Amino acid sequence: MEYTSGAASWQKVLRRAVAGLLPRRPRQRRPGWSIGVPLIAAAAGLLFTTTATTAGGTALREDRRPQLTQLIEDRREQVAASELRAARLRAEVESQTAALADTDGPIKDQRDRAAASRQAAGFTALTGPGVTIELNDAPRRADQTLPKGASNDDLVVHQGDVQAVVNALWAGGAEAMSIMDVRVLSTSAVRCVGNTLLLHGRVYSPPFKIVAIGDPAELQQALAASEGVRLFKEAVEHYQLGYKETVSTVRVPAFEDSTALRSATVPR
């Protein structure tokens, strides 16, 4: 028994000696993905948290066009309500001023002086001979394709087109003018947003109708001489935009918007 035990001990010593002579097996390294997985998971969690905070309970990819349409409609109703209130206040001021004019000489004099300038200032409706101009976008094709060599901008009426007609009519001696049945003055600004017209806080869609009272022959001559109108007529021929010019007895309504001046420049 003692001999066997000694032999077993020598076998263990021998194994250790041999193991010491053999090259050590290289230590296996952890693959890269085992380190990257926790980092990716942390980044994904941060991204999900940021998205949830930004969304605020709403869908980020949700189509917001219905909300924009509702916002425009709400603003339009607010503008209409403000205009109605302003009209009532103007009527109230006019009524009280008329009552005071019966007993106050200076107020009566100023009231008569203002009344004499109302027509020239655009505060009375006018009827007379004149021209009506209609500008319209090009009709869309059934297959939604564009004419050869044309872009979307070539097929719509732009702010410059409306301004060219308005400036030509003023140059032709127009006594009064309206756009979309709204009286315009020298302080009126014509702006386009996309293919819609913004005038005195209200939005209008084409066709855009411009009416001017004056000598029809002179108004038409001024339109024919306008470079901007000529360019628009060329676009009418190439892209089928709408241009209609009519001579008749026309009516221009009174100006009903605010007359407050925000700024003015004295010519030198």
Side-chain angles (χ1 to χ4, degrees):
M1 295 297 294
E2 294 178 0
Y3 176 80
T4 302
S5 176
S9 299
W10 279 106
Q11 289 178 358
K12 291 180 181 180
V13 171
L14 182 60
R15 288 196 195 101
R16 290 176 182 172
V18 173
L21 295 175
L22 293 176
R24 288 192 176 185
R25 210 172 151 189
R27 189 174 183 181
Q28 292 185 352
R29 296 182 179 179
R30 299 178 65 186
W33 64 266
S34 63
I35 300 175
V37 167
L39 297 178
I40 295 174
L46 179 61
L47 178 62
F48 292 151
T49 303
T50 304
T51 302
T53 303
T54 303
T58 62
L60 289 178
R61 294 179 178 269
E62 182 182 358
D63 189 356
R64 301 296 178 91
R65 282 176 296 182
Q67 298 180 16
L68 180 59
T69 302
Q70 184 61 43
L71 178 62
I72 294 174
E73 186 62 29
D74 292 343
R75 292 294 184 268
R76 188 173 298 172
E77 292 178 358
Q78 291 176 8
V79 170
S82 298
E83 290 176 346
L84 183 60
R85 181 172 179 271
R88 284 198 295 260
L89 291 174
R90 283 195 296 267
E92 183 179 346
V93 170
E94 182 67 20
S95 176
Q96 293 182 5
T97 304
L100 285 173
D102 293 337
T103 57
D104 193 311
I107 291 182
K108 183 179 184 304
D109 293 341
Q110 291 301 321
R111 179 177 169 81
D112 293 341
R113 177 172 173 269
S117 304
R118 287 182 65 83
Q119 180 173 329
F123 290 97
T124 58
L126 295 177
T127 301
V131 297
T132 300
I133 309 297
E134 287 191 7
L135 308 178
N136 201 1
D137 295 345
R140 295 291 180 179
R141 294 182 174 182
D143 57 1
Q144 301 300 316
T145 60
L146 300 177
K148 185 177 180 181
S151 65
N152 288 320
D153 286 341
D154 295 323
L155 306 180
V156 298
V157 180
H158 292 280
Q159 175 178 322
D161 303 323
V162 179
Q163 287 178 332
V165 172
V166 170
N167 292 338
L169 293 173
W170 286 130
E175 301 173 13
M177 193 183 308
S178 68
I179 302 175
M180 303 302 286
D181 296 324
V182 177
R183 183 70 171 267
V184 294
L185 307 177
S186 57
T187 56
S188 301
V190 178
R191 295 187 179 90
C192 285
V193 181
N195 67 331
T196 60
L197 179 68
L198 180 63
L199 180 64
H200 295 171
R202 285 165 285 187
V203 179
Y204 302 92
S205 299
F208 302 130
K209 184 177 73 171
I210 305 166
V211 176
I213 293 178
D215 186 320
E218 293 184 4
L219 294 176
Q220 288 185 304
Q221 183 178 358
L223 288 168
S226 169
E227 179 70 11
V229 176
R230 184 186 65 79
L231 292 175
F232 184 80
K233 288 182 177 180
E234 290 182 359
V236 170
E237 296 179 2
H238 290 120
Y239 307 121
Q240 287 72 53
L241 281 87
Y243 181 87
K244 185 178 179 181
E245 188 175 308
T246 308
V247 175
S248 63
T249 299
V250 297
R251 181 182 183 277
V252 173
F255 184 78
E256 296 180 350
D257 207 346
S258 173
T259 58
L261 261 180
R262 292 182 175 85
S263 62
T265 302
V266 178
R268 297 180 180 178

